[in-house]
Amino acid sequence: MATPIADSDVLLVVDVQNDFCPSGQLPVPHGDDVVPIINRLARRFRHVVLTQDWHPAGHHSFASSHPGRRPFETVTLAYGRQILWPDHCVQGTPGAQFHNGLQIPHAALVLRKGFRPAIDSYSAFYENDRKTPTGLAGYLRERGLTRVFVAGLAFDFCVRYSAEDARREGFGVIVIEDACRGIDVDGSVAATRESFAALDVAGVTADAAG
Ligand SMILES: [Zn+2]
């Protein structure tokens, strides 16, 4: 079933950065497969926002910041449970740059997240303390954008949290499933699908959008 794109729709392209692609520090399997799909998709949207994971060196979400801990272990930080990741998307490094095949010159906003040393930020709307806003909800409202199409990396983390928060903020939300790839830590892909079903977050294919 086709989903027509309206002028009040925005495409949110999540973290299509070198470190999340197969040669990067925190590779999402087949992560770079989304690049041509998202390029084609983006041409159908007047409004596009890109997010960029953007950590200072020594960020608290890095396993290397916790002596004796290894990537993908879980720790409790001030705001709750946090998976520890390999060092990735360090500000100003090649790994933090967008995949060089990404071609969305008309994107109006690059929203950087995860720049506070002690708080991770999966969602494009709220950091992982669930209290600190990124400002994106206000930006979208001020621009009259009411429905968010989400694509990018990783399906089960930053795409998931962004879609959930968009829904909670009252936006319509559609996830372009074939324009996402997951990393799947401890069943996180299945948990994401359950959450989307519970929150009434719709999923479509890229071909059906527009
Ligand atoms: Zn990160």
Side-chain angles (χ1 to χ4, degrees), residues 135-147:
L136 182 59
Y139 173 88
L140 297 180
R141 284 194 193 105
E142 195 163 348
R143 296 209 46 211
L145 302 171
T146 56
R147 189 168 63 162

Side-chain angles (χ1 to χ4, degrees), residues 15 20 26 53-55 59 61-62 82 85-86 88-89 113-114 120-122 158:
D15 296 3
F20 296 124
L26 178 43
D53 210 33
W54 195 248
H55 300 306
H59 193 260
S61 74
F62 296 167
Q82 170 71 45
W85 304 107
H88 66 279
C89 297
K113 61 187 181 61
D120 205 0
S121 190
Y122 296 154
C158 295

Side-chain angles (χ1 to χ4, degrees), residues 4 15 24 27 34 37-38 40 43-44 63 77 79 81 118-119 126-127 133 137 148 150 158 161 173 178 180 199:
D15 296 3
V34 303
I37 299 169
I38 289 175
R40 280 198 301 275
R43 288 185 209 123
R44 295 177 223 145
L77 299 182
Y79 52 81
R81 286 181 75 232
I119 316 179
Y126 285 94
E127 301 196 6
V148 184
V150 192
C158 295
Y161 281 74
V173 184
D178 57 335
C180 301
L199 289 172

